[in-house]
Amino acid sequence: ELKPASDPFLVQHRFRGKPLLPIVMAAEAFAEAAALVSGGKPPAAIREVDVVEAVRCFSEQPVPVRIAAEATGTSVVCRLTKDFVNRAGQRIEKDRVHLAGVVDLGDGRPLAALPMPRRPEAWYTVEYPEHIVIYHGPVLRRLKLASVLEEEGWGWIVAAPWQDLVAGRKGKGLIVPAALLDACFYACGIYLWVKDDGAVAIPQGFQTLRLGRAPRPEETCLVYHRRAEKNEGHSYFDFTLYGDDGAAILQVERYHAVVVGGGGE
């Protein structure tokens, strides 16, 4: 049950003023569902994640959602669904699919990090705007510094306790370091804003997310990203997030960002 009045990941993540379920929290839901279906096996990767239709909250009333999870060998196919209702509260469609993805189960081996490229010399302070198409509140403002080069970029990200993002909910912790992953997306967004005439983009999905070791609270991490493709308002990035010891915390292939404003339009 999504609680737009109290869930920090909804209160502080808004699209055109309305709470929007972050794709990083959908990925976490998929990972948790896969763990339940598999008897607790750890996820090695989450892939083919796509936003079919964004989950937006138009009031402060709780929104029931469901995760359908089906095990197929060493993978679990997941769909996040909710009923579509009209303004009168009447159900028009049951279990409309909003996000889909696949969780590959792992064997507990650490993620092998790609060699860290040479760090840039010039860094710029990141200031999250208060009034923009996509709003990030304080719990999601983990990207502190950014550097934009010709075809690539960097981000300086500071981890926070996982409880900050899901305050009021019980659990042992997040499988996906959701706030850090969102900050990596934001770093790619800064690259787009600089390179594409003020373009504002939001996540549409990603091909593969591989998970490494868990971050520590207040750990300083570095993300290195590179744009792999650009096509009429759509950009695709590959990136690796490194911990302060050089170990990989996560890697993403073909993060899909779609422009929703700016860009000279």
Side-chain angles (χ1 to χ4, degrees):
E1 187 173 75
L2 302 179
K3 301 175 182 178
S6 59
D7 283 330
F9 60 85
L10 292 172
V11 174
Q12 301 190 35
H13 188 262
R14 295 174 177 266
F15 180 72
R16 303 191 189 281
K18 301 297 183 182
L20 173 73
L21 178 67
I23 190 173
V24 297
M25 293 306 296
E28 170 66 19
F30 290 165
E32 291 185 15
L36 289 173
V37 170
S38 66
K41 292 182 181 178
I46 305 171
R47 56 184 172 85
E48 299 174 25
V49 172
D50 181 53
V51 179
V52 180
E53 182 180 342
V55 178
R56 297 179 68 187
C57 304
F58 295 95
S59 74
E60 293 191 345
Q61 296 301 312
V63 178
V65 297
R66 287 176 285 278
I67 301 293
E70 180 183 0
T72 57
T74 59
S75 299
V76 180
V77 179
C78 297
R79 294 177 294 117
L80 187 150
T81 71
K82 73 177 183 69
D83 293 344
F84 177 67
V85 299
N86 61 18
R87 294 180 181 272
Q90 299 170 318
R91 187 170 68 186
I92 304 300
E93 179 183 349
K94 180 176 173 57
D95 288 335
R96 175 179 286 190
V97 177
H98 285 263
L99 294 101
V102 179
V103 180
D104 292 331
L105 304 175
D107 55 11
R109 290 184 297 179
L111 178 63
L114 299 173
M116 184 184 295
R118 184 175 180 180
R119 302 181 190 181
E121 296 181 358
W123 293 88
Y124 303 93
T125 301
V126 173
E127 296 183 3
Y128 286 78
E130 295 294 331
H131 303 287
I132 196 170
V133 175
I134 183 74
Y135 167 79
H136 289 73
V139 300
L140 288 166
R141 298 180 182 184
R142 309 315 306 167
L143 180 66
K144 306 302 181 181
L145 301 172
S147 182
V148 175
L149 307 177
E150 189 58 35
E151 297 294 336
E152 58 197 14
W154 289 79
W156 185 294
I157 301 171
V158 178
W162 64 269
Q163 294 92 338
D164 289 359
L165 198 58
V166 292
R169 290 179 177 265
K170 297 179 180 179
K172 297 180 180 179
L174 298 179
I175 299 171
V176 176
L180 288 182
L181 179 57
D182 187 81
C184 293
F185 292 162
Y186 203 90
C188 295
I190 288 179
Y191 177 92
L192 289 173
W193 187 84
V194 172
K195 291 294 185 178
D196 295 352
D197 300 323
V200 177
I202 63 174
Q204 180 63 35
F206 51 82
Q207 179 59 42
T208 307
L209 162 65
R210 295 186 175 87
L211 299 170
R213 71 161 176 83
R216 304 185 309 275
E218 303 304 321
E219 180 178 1
T220 298
C221 308
L222 288 173
V223 61
Y224 169 76
H225 59 80
R226 186 175 184 86
R227 178 153 65 178
E229 183 182 344
K230 176 185 176 183
N231 182 20
E232 298 183 354
H234 299 262
S235 287
Y236 300 85
F237 293 84
D238 299 328
F239 59 80
T240 300
L241 180 68
Y242 300 91
D244 58 11
D245 58 355
I249 291 176
L250 58 85
Q251 291 175 351
V252 169
E253 295 175 5
R254 291 190 69 79
Y255 158 56
H256 181 190
V258 59
V259 174
V260 294
E265 298 178 359

